[in-house]
Amino acid sequence: MKIALMDSGIGLLAATAAVRRLRPDADLVLSLDPDGMPWGPRTPEDLTRRALAVAEAAAAHEPAALIVGCNTATVHALPALRTLLEPALPVIGTVPAIKPAAAGGGPFAIWATPATTGSPYQRGLIKDFADGVTVTEVPCHGLAEAVEHADEAAIDAAVAAAAALTPDDVTTVVLGCTHYELVAERIRAAVQRPGTAPLVLHASAGAVAAQALRRIGEQPAPQAAGGTLTVLLSGREGTLPTAALAYEEGRLLQAVAPAH
């Protein structure tokens, strides 16, 4: 079984690690775009063009499914990706976990990139799934970029700035960018208020990995082993970016045998 994941950078690590834990025997194909990252500031048309190229590079390795491990690419490019690749190759997007957060009932915040915050896409999800619940949209300036480069000082500064924009009564935070999942515990520590119930964090990686298996009719098999790893950098075979190894999810993949 082979599963591909795509993103401009290492935001796909969280979903990749989730797939790895569910199916250690899966052959993984990671398709990144270092030549074009970051995708966030690009126009939707330009982002879609780059996403299609990255997806085609992954599809050439004949995976059973393709996970779009990026919220921004899902927002702008998912319809084009599905038009190009489905039904032969199932494409699974990454959507912020607004629905389960709203089900908790308490006031919650959505941490997302400035481009996604306030977007018609995110506002639509709030309207559809969180009507009547108090929701605060928090733009996280520079956080995805800081995580991408494993810049510790910049991560701390960006997390602190976003935490300052998060109301004190928030009980739940939705991580609306896949990069943020790599620093989830740092976000929790910054937002948790003394004397309050433990903060609930909603991420997407686990649900996306499970959905990918469902789409191809597979079940979790966490005791299996033997999967390989292929890394594509703007279509060229390469290795995991050094910054990936700063995170547990990246170190988990370092132990996977390279594909031959």
Side-chain angles (χ1 to χ4, degrees):
M1 180 179 63
K2 185 180 291 184
I3 294 179
L5 300 96
M6 58 170 281
D7 187 8
S8 63
I10 64 173
L12 52 64
L13 286 180
T16 306
V19 172
R20 175 72 181 154
R21 292 184 179 107
L22 290 175
R23 289 297 299 258
D25 60 331
D27 293 330
L28 302 173
V29 178
L30 308 189
S31 191
L32 288 68
D33 187 27
D35 293 356
M37 61 176 276
W39 282 351
R42 294 182 176 275
T43 65
E45 295 76 17
D46 189 24
L47 187 155
T48 297
R49 180 178 62 82
R50 299 208 68 92
L52 289 170
V54 167
E56 287 187 295
H61 288 255
E62 301 183 343
L66 172 65
I67 293 172
V68 184
C70 173
N71 295 87
T72 302
T74 298
V75 169
H76 296 297
L78 188 60
L81 290 167
R82 286 181 165 160
T83 297
L84 176 69
L85 299 171
E86 291 190 340
L89 176 59
V91 180
I92 297 91
T94 300
V95 176
I98 292 172
K99 186 176 182 180
F108 71 91
I110 306 169
W111 283 33
T113 64
T116 300
T117 301
S119 66
Y121 167 79
Q122 185 160 289
R123 291 282 168 85
L125 291 175
I126 294 169
K127 181 176 182 295
D128 291 343
F129 299 119
D131 193 30
V133 180
T134 302
V135 181
T136 301
E137 296 179 273
V138 177
C140 302
H141 296 276
L143 181 53
E145 293 80 3
V147 172
E148 178 69 31
H149 297 103
D151 184 331
E152 296 293 324
I155 291 170
D156 286 344
V159 167
L165 298 175
T166 304
D168 288 347
D169 63 348
V170 158
T171 61
T172 301
V173 172
V174 174
L175 303 179
C177 170
T178 55
H179 279 81
Y180 303 170
E181 297 189 39
L182 301 178
V183 292
E185 291 311 310
R186 293 165 77 161
I187 292 171
R188 184 193 304 279
V191 178
Q192 182 70 56
R193 310 302 183 195
T196 63
L199 184 75
V200 177
L201 292 182
H202 281 284
S204 302
V208 167
Q211 174 67 359
L213 292 184
R214 284 193 294 270
R215 287 287 303 273
I216 60 178
E218 294 284 352
Q219 298 293 323
Q223 303 308 315
T228 63
L229 178 67
T230 300
V231 178
L232 305 174
L233 305 175
S234 299
R236 308 175 299 272
E237 289 207 26
T239 58
L240 280 175
T242 302
L245 304 181
Y247 304 102
E248 178 187 351
E249 293 84 351
R251 294 190 293 273
L252 176 67
L253 299 177
Q254 190 180 29
V256 182
H260 296 293

